[in-house]
Amino acid sequence: IKRVLTYGDRAKLCSHSVAKFLFTTMEDKQTNLALSADVTTGAELLRLADAVGPHICILKTHIDIISDFKPDLVHDLSHLAEKHGFLIFEDRKFADIGNTVKHQYSSGVYRISDWSHIINAHALPGPGIVQGLKEVGLVKDRACLLIAEMSSKGNLATGDYAKATLKMAEEHDDFVIGFITQSKLSNDPNWVHITPGVKLTRGKDSLGQQYLTPREVICDKECDIIIVGRGITEAEDSVVAAKAFQEAGYNAYLERMQK
Ligand code: S5P
C-alpha cells in the first residue's frame, strides 16, 4: 500500500488549475526546484529564465528590483514560461488592507495580475488582504500563497501565527493554494508547501538569512518545493548549479516516498 502521495497523485486531487498544473509539472519534469531569479536587469532575468527553465517548476521574481523594467520584459518572460513549462511567481509579499492590495496587484507600473500566475501575501493584516487580492485574481485564474513562516533570524511569525495563517487559507481555498513556510502545516495534500532559505549546505548570510539543505526541507520537514536564489544566481555556472539543486531536491522527494 502506497502511504505517501506522489506529486502526480496530488495533481489529480487538487481542484485549483494552478496547483494542478504545478504538481503535474513537478511530476513530468522531475523537479521540485523554484528559482529565485533575484537579478537586477531585464536581460539577465531573461537569460537565467531561458537557461534554467528546463530544470524548474517555478520562476520567482522580484520585479521591483529590475532597474530597466519595461512591459516587454514580462511579455518575454511569459513566452519563456510557456516554452519551458514553468509558472511565474512574483514575490510581492503584499501586506496591506484589502483595498490597497487590490490596486497594488492589478495596477501601477507592474500590473502584476496580468502576468504572474502566483503571488504571495502576509496574513498579518487579516482576511481582508486575501479578499482584496481575490477580487482581482480569481477571474484570471491566479493563485496565492500565504506566508506562514519566514526563514530569517528573529522574525516575528512565531507561536500561533502559522496555525492562524492555515485557518485563513482554509477559508479561501478557491484562491490560496499553499504556503511560504519552513515546515509542513497540514497533511491535506491539496496545500503546496514552498520553502525558501535553501543551499546545498547549511548556513546563513550577513543579514539574517538562514539556510537549510534540500534534504532537510523535502525529506525531513516534508515540504514540497525548494526556493533557491543565490545558490544558483551566484554560482559560476547557473545551469550546473540548478541541475545540482534539481537532483538534490528530487532525490530527497524520492527518499521521502520510501519513508
Ligand atoms: O521567509 C522567506 C520568504 C521568502 S519568499 N525568506 C526568503 O528568503 N524569501 C525569498 O526567497 C527572498 O525574498 C529571496 O528572494 C529568496 C531567497 O534567496 P536566497 O538568495 O537567500 O536563496
Side-chain angles (χ1 to χ4, degrees), residues 42-59:
E44 182 60 7
L45 177 59
L46 294 174
R47 190 200 67 76
L48 253 180
D50 204 16
V52 173
H55 306 290
I56 59 176
C57 56
I58 290 175
L59 184 118

Side-chain angles (χ1 to χ4, degrees), residues 64-83:
D64 58 356
I65 69 173
I66 299 288
S67 48
D68 57 354
F69 178 83
K70 291 183 200 72
D72 275 358
L73 175 61
V74 288
H75 182 256
D76 295 346
L77 194 61
S78 302
H79 275 292
L80 291 175
E82 262 178 51
K83 173 181 168 187

Side-chain angles (χ1 to χ4, degrees), residues 153 199 201-211 230:
K153 193 175 168 66
K199 278 201 170 173
T201 50
R202 265 178 168 244
K204 51 188 181 205
D205 74 3
S206 60
L207 297 171
Q209 175 70 303
Q210 306 174 114
Y211 293 106
R230 284 165 286 179

Side-chain angles (χ1 to χ4, degrees), residues 64-177:
D64 58 356
I65 69 173
I66 299 288
S67 48
D68 57 354
F69 178 83
K70 291 183 200 72
D72 275 358
L73 175 61
V74 288
H75 182 256
D76 295 346
L77 194 61
S78 302
H79 275 292
L80 291 175
E82 262 178 51
K83 173 181 168 187
H84 295 297
F86 60 74
L87 290 165
I88 303 173
F89 163 21
E90 164 55 23
D91 185 6
R92 173 63 179 77
K93 296 188 182 72
F94 294 101
D96 215 317
I97 60 166
N99 186 61
T100 300
V101 297
K102 211 168 85 177
H103 294 297
Q104 291 173 324
Y105 186 19
S106 62
S107 317
V109 176
Y110 301 116
R111 306 184 67 88
I112 294 166
S113 64
D114 285 353
W115 51 270
S116 187
H117 307 106
I118 303 170
I119 45 133
N120 57 354
H122 286 289
L124 184 78
I129 188 170
V130 185
Q131 279 156 4
L133 293 169
K134 215 160 116 163
E135 281 190 15
V136 174
L138 215 53
V139 289
K140 293 177 181 253
D141 255 334
R142 301 309 192 199
C144 180
L145 302 164
L146 290 181
I147 301 159
E149 294 175 335
M150 293 197 71
S151 61
S152 44
K153 193 175 168 66
N155 76 79
L156 304 179
T158 57
D160 288 336
Y161 190 90
K163 218 182 282 171
T165 304
L166 171 62
K167 189 163 167 277
M168 198 184 291
E170 283 166 348
E171 281 156 16
H172 295 279
D173 64 356
D174 51 348
F175 185 51
V176 179
I177 61 166

